[in-house]
Amino acid sequence: MKPHHIRDVLFSAEQIQRRVDELVTAMQQDLRGDNLVMIGILRGSFIFLADLVRDLYPHGVHPRIDFITIESYGSGTESSGVVRIVKELRTEVTGANVVLIDDILDSGRTLSFASQHLRELGAQTVRTCALLDKPSRRVVPFEADYVGFKIEDAFVVGYGLDYDSHYRELPYIAKVTFV
Ligand code: IMP
Ligand code: MG
């Protein structure tokens, strides 16, 4: 890791929780049907997915849940441009209504690759949800169906997002400033 600090909080735990509640309100109608599978892209989505499914529960949304590990980043803050599946799903998704969950939409490579992959596995519908979106960074044209917050081009950590495997446990989202 390069010398840095994380003093600038972009979204507090309370702000995130409020936005997750709003997202759940927006998506619960769409997700009520049968054969719903919510798939978290590891590792960044683990907290977001956990909050989403618990919030969806009182709305009668009962998904199967699985994870897929996709890597695009090396150990720095820049994508290598190469996206690959490191750990495949274990759930049968043929005919399923799939919702892919990621922490952040950056170049767009991960979610566009994952959506295509799920279609190839036979999913009937594939929806996508990202907590954060950096539209100015897009390399592959891609819009998620549900987005928590659009942000400027900054490297951020917390609430599942890491810098070199650190800071995922922060309950808030902060900007990484290199010094
Ligand atoms: P994309 O494939 O370029 O859209 O990048 C998506 C992945 O890059 C995310 O799942 C994150 O793992 C990682 N990523 C992109 N921007 C950030 C960031 O600001 N902080 C931490 N991880 C990031
Ligand atoms: Mg990730």
Side-chain angles (χ1 to χ4, degrees):
M1 286 193 287
K2 294 182 261 179
H4 65 280
H5 70 72
I6 53 158
R7 278 179 226 123
D8 302 310
V9 175
L10 285 188
F11 303 106
S12 68
E14 293 71 26
Q15 282 173 301
I16 296 168
Q17 195 50 62
R18 269 201 300 277
R19 189 64 190 126
V20 169
D21 291 346
E22 290 172 2
L23 281 177
V24 161
T25 304
M27 62 172 55
Q28 49 97 9
Q29 283 289 3
D30 299 346
L31 307 195
R32 262 192 204 152
D34 285 345
N35 204 356
L36 177 67
V37 183
M38 292 183 71
I39 299 172
I41 299 177
L42 288 176
R43 293 170 295 246
S45 71
F46 76 109
I47 295 180
F48 185 36
L49 177 64
D51 280 353
L52 282 174
V53 295
R54 286 177 296 180
D55 252 31
L56 282 163
Y57 173 78
H59 295 281
V61 176
H62 306 299
R64 286 180 288 152
I65 296 170
D66 200 355
F67 295 93
I68 186 168
T69 307
I70 296 179
E71 274 185 6
S72 61
Y73 272 33
S75 63
T77 59
E78 280 302 315
S79 170
S80 64
V82 179
V83 181
R84 63 190 183 107
I85 298 173
V86 178
K87 200 154 173 283
E88 182 56 284
L89 292 177
R90 299 296 299 273
T91 301
E92 172 60 54
V93 293
T94 308
N97 297 303
V98 166
V99 185
L100 280 167
I101 314 290
D102 207 357
D103 51 357
I104 189 163
L105 187 47
D106 187 32
S107 72
R109 288 187 188 104
T110 303
L111 268 178
S112 100
F113 171 86
S115 305
Q116 182 58 31
H117 180 62
L118 266 297
R119 277 189 217 98
E120 282 164 15
L121 290 176
Q124 189 186 330
T125 62
V126 180
R127 291 192 178 86
T128 54
C129 174
L131 179 68
L132 302 175
D133 183 4
K134 296 195 265 194
S136 69
R137 297 260 308 168
R138 211 70 94 244
V139 174
V140 177
F142 192 88
E143 292 300 321
D145 295 294
Y146 313 100
V147 167
F149 303 100
K150 292 204 171 174
I151 61 170
E152 300 300 308
D153 182 9
F155 198 78
V156 298
V157 291
Y159 195 73
L161 292 118
D162 73 305
Y163 174 35
D164 221 358
S165 298
H166 292 274
Y167 304 126
R168 291 191 196 275
E169 77 284 11
L170 298 180
Y172 53 87
I173 292 170
K175 189 177 141 180
V176 178
T177 303
F178 296 98
V179 291

